[in-house]
Amino acid sequence: LVVQQVMFVGTLAIGHTIIILTAGIDLSVGAVAVFSSVIMGKLSADFGVPGVGALLIGFAFGTGAGLFNGLLITRLRLPPFIVTLGTLSIFFSLNLFVSASTTIDGRDMDPIMTWTGTRIDVPFIETAVPLSSFLMLGMFAVMWYVLRFTAWGRHVYATGDDPEASRLTGIRVDRVLLTVYGVAGFIYAIGGWFLIGRLGGASPQAGTAANLDSITAVVIGGTSLFGGRGTIVGTLIGAIIVGVARNGLAISQYNIGDLVIKFDPLWQDFTIGLLVILAVTLDQWIRRVSV
């Protein structure tokens, strides 16, 4: 159930992992994913674009948004934090403009748009799990292989560890960074597709906590914010920890006689913020000890 509920954040965290491995950050992750979902839904429901075509255009937009971030970072030498903070506002505003702040009903879309929300009965588990959860796990497996066994994956780690040394060894650092942000944008768009299946529509207001939760999942999973160290498996574990924290607080309550005390939803964000600080503190301590 937790894997099912962290499907969206977990998918975004895959893309965020490869960015943080290069010592970067992406604050626009949620805005890109949700805007991609709105574009897909709008094309399919309002303009009659075939489902596959709408998906491809949405994926192209997500990739383009990531490449836009990457170009500003590599060509203008702007800090990733500033670039993605700016594009966060840009994409969020465009999202509201295109959608007119209204949810697009999945029943008006091509069936492939909500296909990822199809539930599958799992043996030995008394619940049906959405197809998107299995697809998310498959994406984690693919990225694990890419980072561990391909030259591009090794270049990502090397770029994050020491960009100048990587450049001197012949690695085209700017090209690596550009492809990293492009691939991350493509993954965000896939997350937007998964979100349509989960919600049964495209909502411009969805994924408001995705930015913080995806960063938290990556950092708690052991990926250093200073780049060059971390694993995709750790990110999956981090995403599950975030899901457990949020869901645990949501269902927790204390009974004092006839009085029932439940946690206010604001304590979920409070707890996630604490987890981020603790994870970064631990990362700093590990770096000092290892030097």
Side-chain angles (χ1 to χ4, degrees):
L1 287 175
V2 172
V3 171
Q4 170 182 325
Q5 292 165 350
V6 302
M7 171 274 303
F8 178 59
V9 170
T11 302
L12 302 188
I14 297 173
H16 222 149
T17 298
I18 58 176
I19 288 178
I20 293 180
L21 281 174
T22 63
I25 197 74
D26 190 352
L27 301 180
S28 67
V29 47
V32 172
V34 175
F35 193 18
S36 297
S37 72
V38 167
I39 289 176
M40 296 175 196
K42 196 81 172 175
L43 289 173
S44 179
D46 294 352
F47 295 96
V49 177
V52 174
L55 286 177
L56 292 177
I57 294 173
F59 294 162
F61 167 79
T63 305
L67 290 174
F68 179 69
N69 286 335
L71 284 171
L72 292 177
I73 292 167
T74 57
R75 297 293 185 267
L76 300 183
R77 305 298 176 186
L78 299 177
F81 180 88
I82 299 300
V83 169
T84 57
L85 180 62
T87 54
L88 164 65
S89 297
I90 291 172
F91 294 138
F92 182 71
S93 299
L94 290 175
N95 173 33
L96 295 178
F97 172 75
V98 170
S99 65
S101 300
T102 58
T103 299
I104 305 168
D105 196 328
R107 291 172 294 185
D108 298 329
M109 304 179 194
D110 189 290
I112 196 174
M113 305 301 295
T114 56
W115 173 70
T116 58
T118 304
R119 293 184 170 272
I120 301 174
D121 291 325
V122 180
F124 312 111
I125 301 178
E126 296 181 0
T127 186
V129 180
L131 180 61
S132 55
S133 297
F134 296 103
L135 295 175
M136 177 200 71
L137 294 175
M139 292 175 63
F140 268 100
V142 170
M143 186 56 71
W144 171 83
Y145 176 85
V146 169
L147 290 176
R148 188 176 178 87
F149 296 108
T150 68
W152 183 80
R154 292 191 292 271
H155 291 171
V156 169
Y157 278 101
T159 299
D161 186 50
D162 192 330
E164 187 57 34
S166 299
R167 188 176 289 108
L168 293 175
T169 59
I171 297 175
R172 304 182 67 173
V173 172
D174 285 350
R175 176 174 291 184
V176 171
L177 289 175
L178 188 60
T179 56
V180 161
Y181 279 89
V183 170
F186 175 70
I187 294 172
Y188 301 158
I190 294 177
W193 180 34
F194 291 172
L195 186 63
I196 293 176
R198 179 178 178 180
L199 300 178
S203 172
Q205 305 294 340
T208 54
N211 293 336
L212 176 61
D213 284 2
S214 63
I215 295 174
T216 306
V218 176
V219 175
I220 290 179
T223 299
S224 174
L225 283 172
F226 302 96
R229 188 178 72 247
T231 65
I232 197 70
V233 175
T235 295
L236 176 59
I237 296 173
I240 293 174
I241 290 174
V242 171
V244 169
R246 283 195 176 277
N247 295 335
L249 288 173
I251 65 176
S252 294
Q253 66 180 36
Y254 290 97
N255 298 324
I256 304 177
D258 295 331
L259 178 63
V260 178
I261 301 176
K262 294 185 177 181
F263 283 103
D264 191 284
L266 66 88
W267 294 111
Q268 296 182 29
D269 291 335
F270 178 87
T271 303
I272 298 303
L274 283 181
L275 288 175
V276 172
I277 294 174
L278 291 174
V280 174
T281 301
L282 180 61
D283 177 52
Q284 288 277 52
W285 178 78
I286 291 174
R287 288 175 62 87
R288 287 198 298 267
V289 169
S290 60
V291 171

